Amino acid sequence: MSESNVPRFDLPQTAVLNEAIVLYGLTALAHELDSPSAPASGAPKAAQGALPVAARPFYRFGGSVTDGEGVTQKATLGGKGAGLAELAHRGAPVPPGFTLPTDTCRKYLLTGVLPADDTLREGIAHIEAATGRKFGINLFVSVRSGAPDSMPGMMDTILNLGLNDDTVGVLADETGNIAFAHEAHARFLRSYVEIVRGVKKEKVAAMGGTALRNRVPADVWGQLQAAVEAVFRSWNSERAKAYRAHEGISDTVGTAVTVQAMVFGNMGEGSGTGVLFTRNPATGEPGIVGEYLANAQGEDVVAGVRTPAPLTSMADAPWYGALIETVTALELHFRDMQDVEFTVERGTLYLLQTRNAKRSARAMARIAVDLLREGVIDRATAAARIDARRLETLTRPTIDPEVL
């Protein structure tokens, strides 16, 4: 079968069987070529072969130093850490940080041993040098999970770490925005009490400021150590275990943890946060789609407490052109549709994550064939991206989206 003979189809349309024909044809081609990239049958993701032992206790990124290689170290750095290292190597606007590798999590889960205090202090020193800020005074960080296989929303994240009754005043003075500083502090207290202390969200919502402060250490190093431990623990949360069981992901690999300088999308006018896909994840149609929420942090988009605007509504913003140019280049670099999270702080654009995007079965078909036709991937790669378990869904009756 030549590439010119791959059936062409247009979406949206009701004749989805054409997509299945294309996919079956590509899958058969992969078997014919005995492609090593074809998916192994029945094997859990990330469980094939020995688990990697990291060469370093932590991996810096951003500023003038990036230790990790990028996506080739996904098993060590996790998807988030590997993506950030790759972005940093490409000169993308990434807040500096460091990643604790997956074997640190595995060690903790087996023995209860956390990263050495010196490890965290050396990692923070890198962020301090890159930002010109001091932890415990005016440097604030996020602590995020990042498994080798994407597990969106399944593990925990803590933002605004480093705030206490003293540093909140520094943040207010530096930004000239007292309301913003106290809101950031309140967000941190609530998330810390819920995630680190394990208090139910409903109870946290009913707690007053004094009660919350009494559950959070003022010492920023104590905050950091406890937050790292909480993210490691979230690998074994019930929702994370259920997700891995559904997706065929091994329970043994653990998660990396990324500690990164905070950038604030909720700093008032000219700030905001957003997420985009370089193609439509529902249909696979070409073209960037996304949402943007002004004066907000990323958790506001996920929580759904406010309605984001289409990303195109920001087309006149000074950072918009650079964002589109950057993510378009990222898709070509990774040779797949990208899911990108970004924040704008007072008009300055920062990328917080890029990863190969989740997609519907319909989009899986469209993107595999389109990237093949565009010359971005070859036939064997297109075939390897076909999940045979999802093909059956393409033959089911569907509602025409035009009538909804």
Side-chain angles (χ1 to χ4, degrees):
M1 179 188 291
S2 68
E3 293 173 16
S4 60
N5 291 330
V6 176
R8 185 180 295 274
F9 57 87
D10 295 314
L11 291 174
Q13 64 171 340
T14 57
V16 294
L17 188 57
N18 284 342
E19 302 171 31
I21 293 172
V22 172
L23 294 176
Y24 278 122
L26 289 175
T27 303
L29 177 63
H31 289 300
E32 178 184 327
L33 297 176
D34 194 25
S35 169
S37 58
S41 60
K45 300 175 187 176
Q48 302 169 33
L51 295 172
V53 176
R56 304 172 54 91
F58 66 96
Y59 291 76
R60 299 165 294 180
F61 60 85
S64 60
V65 180
T66 297
D67 299 315
E69 297 173 6
V71 294
T72 59
Q73 285 189 296
K74 204 172 179 182
T76 296
L77 301 177
K80 186 181 295 293
L84 287 166
E86 193 87 29
L87 288 171
H89 280 305
R90 293 180 58 79
V94 175
F98 65 95
T99 298
L100 300 169
T102 55
D103 64 350
T104 307
C105 176
R106 294 194 294 272
K107 181 179 179 181
Y108 167 76
L109 294 175
L110 286 172
T111 67
V113 175
L114 285 164
D117 185 63
D118 286 350
T119 295
L120 297 181
R121 289 182 181 270
E122 289 177 30
I124 289 292
H126 163 67
I127 305 177
E128 291 176 331
T131 61
R133 295 178 175 275
K134 186 72 175 174
F135 192 51
I137 299 177
N138 62 351
L139 172 64
F140 311 101
V141 298
S142 61
V143 181
R144 302 174 187 267
S145 62
D149 289 297
S150 180
M151 295 174 55
M154 296 299 111
M155 291 179 288
D156 290 329
T157 291
I158 298 173
L159 305 179
N160 308 342
L161 190 143
L163 280 166
N164 57 31
D165 287 347
D166 295 324
T167 60
V168 69
V170 177
L171 183 60
D173 289 342
E174 287 195 351
T175 62
N177 191 333
I178 296 174
F180 152 73
H182 285 281
E183 181 199 7
H185 189 200
R187 284 172 180 258
F188 167 64
L189 293 173
R190 289 194 296 268
S191 67
Y192 189 98
V193 172
E194 179 185 345
I195 293 169
V196 178
R197 298 301 190 197
V199 180
K200 296 292 186 183
K201 181 178 291 188
E202 298 77 12
K203 187 174 180 180
V204 170
M207 294 173 71
T210 300
L212 290 169
R213 284 178 175 84
N214 288 339
R215 304 296 295 271
V216 180
D219 173 50
V220 297
W221 295 102
Q223 292 177 4
L224 180 58
Q225 188 78 268
V228 168
E229 182 176 13
V231 176
F232 283 156
R233 284 200 311 264
S234 72
W235 172 258
N236 279 334
S237 69
E238 291 304 315
R239 68 177 183 269
K241 290 191 290 187
Y243 183 88
R244 291 197 297 272
H246 183 269
E247 295 294 318
I249 298 172
S250 170
D251 284 329
T252 63
V253 295
T255 182
V257 170
T258 293
V259 179
Q260 188 174 24
M262 279 297 305
V263 288
F264 295 98
N266 58 333
M267 205 178 277
E269 186 176 356
S271 301
T273 189
V275 61
L276 65 81
F277 299 88
T278 54
R279 298 182 186 235
N280 189 308
T283 67
E285 292 176 275
I288 293 169
V289 295
E291 297 178 327
Y292 182 78
L293 194 56
N295 193 26
Q297 288 193 307
E299 62 184 2
D300 298 325
V301 178
V302 177
V305 294
R306 291 169 53 196
T307 302
L311 180 60
T312 51
S313 68
M314 302 304 297
D316 293 333
W319 47 264
Y320 184 84
L323 174 65
I324 300 304
E325 180 180 353
T326 300
V327 300
T328 301
L330 286 175
E331 181 180 274
L332 288 174
H333 175 70
F334 289 107
R335 302 191 306 146
D336 202 356
M337 176 176 71
Q338 293 299 292
D339 171 1
V340 179
E341 296 177 13
F342 65 96
T343 286
V344 179
E345 181 183 280
R346 290 184 166 177
T348 301
L349 172 68
Y350 297 93
L351 301 188
L352 304 182
Q353 176 169 279
T354 190
R355 60 188 174 194
N356 292 343
K358 300 288 187 181
R359 64 208 68 181
S360 70
R362 187 182 190 191
M364 175 186 69
R366 175 72 181 259
I367 293 168
V369 173
D370 279 357
L371 289 177
L372 170 62
R373 291 191 172 280
E374 293 165 17
V376 176
I377 59 177
D378 59 22
R379 290 175 293 171
T381 301
R385 291 183 181 175
I386 306 310
D387 184 347
R389 297 174 302 172
R390 304 175 71 191
L391 290 181
E392 187 270 334
T393 65
L394 299 177
T395 64
R396 298 175 185 172
T398 59
I399 298 174
D400 187 342
E402 297 297 323
V403 305
L404 295 178

